[in-house]
Amino acid sequence: MKPLLLASALAMICGQAQALSCMRPDPISTFQRVAAAPEGYYVLYGALSFDEDDLPRGSNTMQDQVIDPIPAQFRGKSLSQDGFVRDYVSPVLLQVNCLSIWCGSAQSGVDAVYFVEATEAPVTMQADPCGDMIFYEPTEAVLDMLTSCMKGDTCSPEPLQ
């Protein structure tokens, strides 16, 4: 009986582990993807302030969760062809998305690059399970490469890896 229970438990864990497959996200590839998207995006660099107790925790079920957006405040800069020089201070919404037992994550008070669809205020920052819209504590090289991408110059993640 014990071997059967162990086999069942392992099969369930392995099935869940294989259910979410993400490519390693990087901000330059995300920039290229959103630049090609039909909708407009902001590229923001700064920090969100919000109550981290409002973040969802993964569920033990394989069903997607509906999570209410978390009110937050963003303080930072938006990307232009001159770099991250334009102030962007605004209330925002943080939408943490879950896929089965995996949820996106966010950190309050930590500098990050955010890719945010340009909608009417307040904009909504997406924290997806694969983490491809928020990049914490980017290096100067990453910020410089994003500026280069914005200018239409070199836009490659290769020298950054």
Side-chain angles (χ1 to χ4, degrees), residues 41-58:
Y41 279 82
Y42 298 122
V43 182
L44 304 175
Y45 173 60
L48 277 181
S49 297
F50 63 95
D51 185 351
E52 289 188 0
D53 289 338
D54 291 340
L55 291 171
R57 306 296 181 248

Side-chain angles (χ1 to χ4, degrees), residues 70-84:
I70 299 169
Q73 177 72 29
F74 180 82
R75 178 174 297 287
K77 307 279 185 182
S78 66
L79 180 62
S80 71
Q81 290 190 355
D82 296 323
F84 290 94

Side-chain angles (χ1 to χ4, degrees), residues 1-17:
M1 182 76 166
K2 286 183 183 180
L4 181 60
L5 288 175
L6 179 60
S8 297
L10 286 174
M12 183 172 28
I13 290 170
C14 291
Q16 290 176 351

Side-chain angles (χ1 to χ4, degrees), residues 52-152:
E52 289 188 0
D53 289 338
D54 291 340
L55 291 171
R57 306 296 181 248
S59 168
N60 289 330
T61 70
M62 293 301 286
Q63 296 178 352
D64 294 347
Q65 300 178 47
V66 177
I67 309 295
D68 291 331
I70 299 169
Q73 177 72 29
F74 180 82
R75 178 174 297 287
K77 307 279 185 182
S78 66
L79 180 62
S80 71
Q81 290 190 355
D82 296 323
F84 290 94
V85 295
R86 295 182 184 159
D87 288 339
Y88 193 99
V89 177
S90 179
V92 298
L93 296 173
L94 173 62
Q95 181 63 60
V96 178
N97 299 308
C98 295
L99 180 62
S100 181
I101 61 171
W102 300 276
C103 291
S105 67
Q107 298 173 343
S108 183
V110 178
D111 283 340
V113 170
Y114 297 86
F115 292 88
V116 184
E117 188 174 349
T119 59
E120 291 189 30
V123 297
T124 301
M125 298 178 164
Q126 301 288 333
D128 295 324
C130 289
D132 62 348
M133 299 302 273
I134 302 173
F135 298 90
Y136 289 97
E137 299 177 331
T139 64
E140 280 299 318
V142 167
L143 299 176
D144 291 344
M145 184 58 71
L146 287 169
T147 300
S148 181
C149 293
M150 188 68 170
K151 289 180 180 180

